[in-house]
Amino acid sequence: MAFRGFGGFATSGLIAAAIVWSFATTDVELSRLMSAGPRIADFLGRMVPPDPTVMAEIRKGSAETLRIAILGTLGAVILSVPLGILASETMVSRAVFRPIRTLLAFIRAIPLILVAMLMVGAVGLGPLPGIIAVAFHATGMLAKFYAEAIDGVPRAPIAALESAGAGPLVRLRHAIWPQMAPVVARDTIFRFELNLRESLILGIVGAGGIGFYIQTYVRSFQYDKAASVTIAVVVMVIAIEAINVTLRRRFT
Protein backbone atom coordinates (compact mmCIF):
# COMPACT_ATOMS: atom_id res chain seq x y z
CA MET A 1 0.00 0.00 0.00
CA ALA A 2 2.81 2.38 0.86
CA PHE A 3 4.51 1.65 -2.46
CA ARG A 4 1.29 2.32 -4.33
CA GLY A 5 0.83 5.57 -2.47
CA PHE A 6 4.37 6.63 -3.28
CA GLY A 7 3.87 5.63 -6.91
CA GLY A 8 0.74 7.76 -7.19
CA PHE A 9 2.50 10.71 -5.55
CA ALA A 10 5.48 10.35 -7.90
CA THR A 11 3.19 10.20 -10.94
CA SER A 12 1.33 13.33 -9.83
CA GLY A 13 4.65 15.07 -9.26
CA LEU A 14 5.87 14.18 -12.74
CA ILE A 15 2.68 15.47 -14.33
CA ALA A 16 2.88 18.71 -12.35
CA ALA A 17 6.55 19.13 -13.28
CA ALA A 18 5.74 18.57 -16.95
CA ILE A 19 3.02 21.24 -16.84
CA VAL A 20 5.28 23.76 -15.09
CA TRP A 21 8.12 23.02 -17.54
CA SER A 22 5.77 23.50 -20.50
CA PHE A 23 4.60 26.89 -19.26
CA ALA A 24 8.12 28.03 -18.34
CA THR A 25 9.70 27.11 -21.67
CA THR A 26 6.89 28.14 -24.02
CA ASP A 27 6.41 31.67 -25.26
CA VAL A 28 2.88 32.04 -23.91
CA GLU A 29 1.84 35.62 -23.28
CA LEU A 30 -1.74 36.31 -22.27
CA SER A 31 -1.28 39.94 -23.29
CA ARG A 32 -0.84 38.84 -26.91
CA LEU A 33 -4.09 36.90 -26.73
CA MET A 34 -5.94 39.90 -25.28
CA SER A 35 -4.54 42.23 -27.94
CA ALA A 36 -5.66 39.81 -30.65
CA GLY A 37 -9.31 40.35 -29.71
CA PRO A 38 -9.98 43.12 -32.27
CA ARG A 39 -8.35 41.11 -35.07
CA ILE A 40 -10.40 38.04 -34.19
CA ALA A 41 -13.56 40.17 -34.12
CA ASP A 42 -12.66 41.63 -37.52
CA PHE A 43 -12.07 38.15 -38.95
CA LEU A 44 -15.41 36.88 -37.64
CA GLY A 45 -17.13 40.04 -38.89
CA ARG A 46 -15.98 39.31 -42.43
CA MET A 47 -17.66 35.92 -42.22
CA VAL A 48 -21.09 37.49 -41.58
CA PRO A 49 -23.37 37.01 -43.34
CA PRO A 50 -22.37 33.67 -44.93
CA ASP A 51 -22.52 33.56 -48.72
CA PRO A 52 -25.25 31.12 -49.87
CA THR A 53 -24.06 31.13 -53.49
CA VAL A 54 -21.55 28.35 -52.84
CA MET A 55 -24.14 25.62 -52.26
CA ALA A 56 -23.03 23.76 -55.39
CA GLU A 57 -19.45 23.61 -54.12
CA ILE A 58 -20.69 22.58 -50.66
CA ARG A 59 -22.72 19.69 -52.09
CA LYS A 60 -19.82 18.54 -54.25
CA GLY A 61 -17.26 18.80 -51.46
CA SER A 62 -19.51 17.16 -48.87
CA ALA A 63 -20.25 14.23 -51.16
CA GLU A 64 -16.56 13.78 -51.91
CA THR A 65 -15.65 13.90 -48.22
CA LEU A 66 -18.33 11.31 -47.45
CA ARG A 67 -17.04 9.05 -50.24
CA ILE A 68 -13.48 9.33 -48.92
CA ALA A 69 -14.62 8.37 -45.41
CA ILE A 70 -16.77 5.44 -46.62
CA LEU A 71 -14.20 3.95 -49.00
CA GLY A 72 -11.34 4.64 -46.61
CA THR A 73 -13.18 2.85 -43.82
CA LEU A 74 -14.02 -0.05 -46.13
CA GLY A 75 -10.35 -0.39 -47.07
CA ALA A 76 -9.35 -0.26 -43.41
CA VAL A 77 -11.84 -3.00 -42.51
CA ILE A 78 -10.58 -5.25 -45.33
CA LEU A 79 -6.98 -4.80 -44.17
CA SER A 80 -7.78 -4.96 -40.45
CA VAL A 81 -9.58 -8.32 -40.48
CA PRO A 82 -6.50 -10.43 -41.34
CA LEU A 83 -4.14 -8.13 -39.45
CA GLY A 84 -6.38 -8.21 -36.38
CA ILE A 85 -6.37 -12.01 -36.42
CA LEU A 86 -2.59 -12.10 -36.82
CA ALA A 87 -2.20 -9.57 -33.98
CA SER A 88 -4.27 -11.68 -31.57
CA GLU A 89 -2.44 -13.85 -29.07
CA THR A 90 -5.53 -16.05 -28.93
CA MET A 91 -5.22 -16.99 -32.59
CA VAL A 92 -1.48 -17.13 -33.32
CA SER A 93 1.84 -17.64 -31.60
CA ARG A 94 3.98 -14.93 -30.03
CA ALA A 95 6.40 -15.11 -32.95
CA VAL A 96 3.56 -13.92 -35.21
CA PHE A 97 1.50 -11.47 -33.17
CA ARG A 98 4.43 -9.53 -31.73
CA PRO A 99 5.77 -8.33 -35.14
CA ILE A 100 2.24 -7.59 -36.34
CA ARG A 101 1.51 -5.48 -33.27
CA THR A 102 4.76 -3.62 -33.83
CA LEU A 103 3.72 -2.97 -37.44
CA LEU A 104 0.34 -1.64 -36.32
CA ALA A 105 2.00 0.64 -33.77
CA PHE A 106 4.26 1.96 -36.52
CA ILE A 107 1.24 2.69 -38.73
CA ARG A 108 -0.52 4.55 -35.91
CA ALA A 109 2.60 6.63 -35.29
CA ILE A 110 2.50 8.16 -38.79
CA PRO A 111 0.29 11.29 -38.88
CA LEU A 112 -2.61 11.14 -41.33
CA ILE A 113 -1.69 14.45 -42.94
CA LEU A 114 1.81 13.14 -43.70
CA VAL A 115 0.39 9.99 -45.32
CA ALA A 116 -1.97 12.17 -47.38
CA MET A 117 0.91 14.38 -48.56
CA LEU A 118 2.92 11.33 -49.60
CA MET A 119 -0.08 9.89 -51.46
CA VAL A 120 -0.74 13.18 -53.24
CA GLY A 121 2.86 13.16 -54.41
CA ALA A 122 2.53 9.53 -55.52
CA VAL A 123 -0.88 9.40 -57.23
CA GLY A 124 -1.75 13.08 -57.76
CA LEU A 125 -4.55 15.34 -56.56
CA GLY A 126 -8.12 14.24 -55.92
CA PRO A 127 -9.99 11.85 -53.65
CA LEU A 128 -7.83 8.76 -54.35
CA PRO A 129 -4.89 9.84 -52.15
CA GLY A 130 -7.38 10.74 -49.43
CA ILE A 131 -8.98 7.30 -49.58
CA ILE A 132 -5.60 5.57 -49.43
CA ALA A 133 -4.41 7.77 -46.56
CA VAL A 134 -7.57 7.20 -44.50
CA ALA A 135 -7.49 3.43 -45.12
CA PHE A 136 -3.82 3.16 -44.21
CA HIS A 137 -4.02 5.30 -41.10
CA ALA A 138 -7.27 3.75 -39.82
CA THR A 139 -5.90 0.22 -40.21
CA GLY A 140 -3.37 0.79 -37.45
CA MET A 141 -6.12 1.46 -34.92
CA LEU A 142 -8.90 -0.77 -36.27
CA ALA A 143 -6.74 -3.89 -36.48
CA LYS A 144 -5.64 -3.27 -32.89
CA PHE A 145 -9.28 -3.00 -31.82
CA TYR A 146 -10.14 -6.24 -33.62
CA ALA A 147 -7.24 -8.07 -31.98
CA GLU A 148 -8.26 -6.82 -28.55
CA ALA A 149 -11.86 -7.88 -29.23
CA ILE A 150 -10.67 -11.40 -30.04
CA ASP A 151 -8.46 -11.57 -26.96
CA GLY A 152 -11.20 -10.18 -24.72
CA VAL A 153 -13.81 -12.91 -25.25
CA PRO A 154 -14.37 -15.61 -22.57
CA ARG A 155 -12.08 -18.59 -23.09
CA ALA A 156 -14.44 -21.43 -22.17
CA PRO A 157 -16.17 -21.81 -25.58
CA ILE A 158 -12.80 -21.57 -27.33
CA ALA A 159 -11.29 -24.25 -25.09
CA ALA A 160 -14.29 -26.51 -25.68
CA LEU A 161 -13.90 -26.37 -29.46
CA GLU A 162 -10.13 -26.70 -29.20
CA SER A 163 -10.48 -29.86 -27.10
CA ALA A 164 -12.79 -31.25 -29.80
CA GLY A 165 -10.05 -30.74 -32.39
CA ALA A 166 -11.43 -27.59 -34.04
CA GLY A 167 -8.95 -25.48 -35.99
CA PRO A 168 -8.32 -21.74 -35.54
CA LEU A 169 -10.83 -20.64 -38.18
CA VAL A 170 -13.56 -22.86 -36.76
CA ARG A 171 -12.91 -21.46 -33.28
CA LEU A 172 -13.01 -17.96 -34.68
CA ARG A 173 -16.28 -18.52 -36.50
CA HIS A 174 -18.25 -20.39 -33.84
CA ALA A 175 -16.71 -19.43 -30.47
CA ILE A 176 -15.14 -16.01 -30.93
CA TRP A 177 -17.13 -14.13 -33.56
CA PRO A 178 -20.59 -14.39 -31.89
CA GLN A 179 -19.11 -12.84 -28.73
CA MET A 180 -17.02 -10.13 -30.39
CA ALA A 181 -19.46 -9.02 -33.13
CA PRO A 182 -21.06 -6.17 -31.09
CA VAL A 183 -17.63 -4.85 -30.11
CA VAL A 184 -16.42 -4.98 -33.72
CA ALA A 185 -19.54 -3.15 -34.92
CA ARG A 186 -19.12 -0.46 -32.26
CA ASP A 187 -15.42 0.08 -32.99
CA THR A 188 -15.95 0.14 -36.76
CA ILE A 189 -18.73 2.72 -36.49
CA PHE A 190 -16.59 4.83 -34.17
CA ARG A 191 -13.68 4.65 -36.61
CA PHE A 192 -15.91 5.70 -39.50
CA GLU A 193 -16.96 8.79 -37.56
CA LEU A 194 -13.33 9.58 -36.86
CA ASN A 195 -12.41 8.99 -40.52
CA LEU A 196 -15.09 11.44 -41.59
CA ARG A 197 -13.74 14.11 -39.27
CA GLU A 198 -10.18 13.51 -40.49
CA SER A 199 -11.31 13.55 -44.14
CA LEU A 200 -12.47 17.14 -43.67
CA ILE A 201 -8.89 18.40 -43.43
CA LEU A 202 -7.39 16.36 -46.26
CA GLY A 203 -8.30 19.03 -48.81
CA ILE A 204 -5.63 21.24 -47.28
CA VAL A 205 -2.96 19.08 -48.94
CA GLY A 206 -4.95 18.47 -52.12
CA ALA A 207 -6.41 15.08 -51.17
CA GLY A 208 -9.98 16.03 -52.04
CA GLY A 209 -13.02 16.74 -49.94
CA ILE A 210 -14.73 19.83 -48.64
CA GLY A 211 -11.56 20.99 -46.88
CA PHE A 212 -10.24 22.05 -50.29
CA TYR A 213 -12.91 24.73 -50.54
CA ILE A 214 -12.29 26.03 -47.04
CA GLN A 215 -8.60 26.40 -47.85
CA THR A 216 -9.35 28.08 -51.19
CA TYR A 217 -11.78 30.62 -49.77
CA VAL A 218 -9.65 31.51 -46.75
CA ARG A 219 -6.53 32.00 -48.87
CA SER A 220 -8.44 34.24 -51.27
CA PHE A 221 -9.95 36.22 -48.33
CA GLN A 222 -13.50 35.17 -49.22
CA TYR A 223 -14.45 34.70 -45.60
CA ASP A 224 -18.21 34.81 -46.20
CA LYS A 225 -17.91 31.78 -48.49
CA ALA A 226 -15.60 30.06 -46.01
CA ALA A 227 -18.27 30.62 -43.34
CA SER A 228 -20.89 28.86 -45.47
CA VAL A 229 -18.62 25.86 -45.99
CA THR A 230 -17.77 25.78 -42.27
CA ILE A 231 -21.45 25.73 -41.33
CA ALA A 232 -22.00 22.87 -43.75
CA VAL A 233 -19.12 20.95 -42.15
CA VAL A 234 -20.57 21.43 -38.66
CA VAL A 235 -24.03 20.28 -39.81
CA MET A 236 -22.55 17.21 -41.53
CA VAL A 237 -20.48 16.19 -38.51
CA ILE A 238 -23.46 16.59 -36.15
CA ALA A 239 -25.69 14.54 -38.47
CA ILE A 240 -23.13 11.75 -38.84
CA GLU A 241 -22.53 11.69 -35.09
CA ALA A 242 -26.26 11.35 -34.44
CA ILE A 243 -26.50 8.48 -36.92
CA ASN A 244 -23.47 6.78 -35.40
CA VAL A 245 -24.89 7.06 -31.87
CA THR A 246 -28.09 5.40 -33.09
CA LEU A 247 -26.13 2.60 -34.77
CA ARG A 248 -23.91 2.02 -31.74
CA ARG A 249 -26.97 1.70 -29.49
CA ARG A 250 -28.46 -0.82 -31.90
CA PHE A 251 -25.35 -2.99 -32.07
CA THR A 252 -24.40 -2.86 -28.38
Side-chain angles (χ1 to χ4, degrees):
M1 293 294 294
F3 178 77
R4 290 183 179 180
F6 175 77
F9 177 78
T11 301
S12 301
L14 287 174
I15 294 174
I19 294 174
V20 172
W21 171 78
S22 299
F23 269 111
T25 58
T26 303
D27 185 19
V28 177
E29 298 179 10
L30 295 180
S31 59
R32 293 172 58 185
L33 179 61
M34 299 299 294
S35 63
R39 292 192 294 272
I40 295 175
D42 178 65
F43 175 79
L44 295 176
R46 295 183 185 184
M47 300 178 73
V48 179
D51 187 348
T53 63
V54 294
M55 289 304 301
E57 289 82 357
I58 289 175
R59 285 193 294 269
K60 179 180 178 182
S62 298
E64 191 167 74
T65 295
L66 191 58
R67 288 195 294 268
I68 291 173
I70 291 173
L71 295 178
T73 303
L74 176 62
V77 169
I78 293 173
L79 293 173
S80 295
V81 169
L83 288 174
I85 295 173
L86 294 175
S88 166
E89 60 181 307
T90 302
M91 300 299 300
V92 297
S93 65
R94 180 181 296 269
V96 176
F97 76 76
R98 284 296 184 187
I100 297 298
R101 289 186 181 184
T102 301
L103 173 64
L104 296 177
F106 173 77
I107 293 174
R108 293 194 301 273
I110 304 176
L112 173 67
I113 199 72
L114 176 58
V115 179
M117 292 173 64
L118 293 175
M119 291 299 102
V120 167
V123 302
L125 300 174
L128 179 58
I131 294 170
I132 297 174
V134 168
F136 176 83
H137 190 260
T139 297
M141 179 182 291
L142 208 53
K144 178 177 181 290
F145 285 166
Y146 290 175
E148 291 177 348
I150 294 173
D151 293 338
V153 302
R155 314 287 290 190
I158 305 173
L161 284 179
E162 189 173 8
S163 64
L169 293 181
V170 174
R171 298 198 302 270
L172 177 64
R173 170 65 182 87
H174 295 285
I176 298 176
W177 173 249
Q179 302 181 77
M180 65 177 283
V183 178
V184 168
R186 180 200 64 196
D187 292 342
T188 303
I189 293 170
F190 169 76
R191 186 63 226 194
F192 169 72
E193 181 182 336
L194 186 58
N195 288 343
L196 179 66
R197 295 173 186 271
E198 293 182 336
S199 298
L200 296 171
I201 66 170
L202 294 180
I204 296 176
V205 295
I210 199 169
F212 170 77
Y213 296 99
I214 295 178
Q215 174 193 229
T216 300
Y217 293 142
V218 170
R219 286 187 174 181
S220 59
F221 304 105
Q222 302 180 71
Y223 298 119
D224 52 346
K225 294 181 179 179
S228 297
V229 180
T230 302
I231 293 172
V233 167
V234 172
V235 171
M236 182 167 59
V237 169
I238 292 175
I240 293 296
E241 183 171 354
I243 294 172
N244 284 349
V245 168
T246 302
L247 291 175
R248 285 200 296 268
R249 287 176 179 173
R250 181 177 180 180
F251 285 110
T252 57

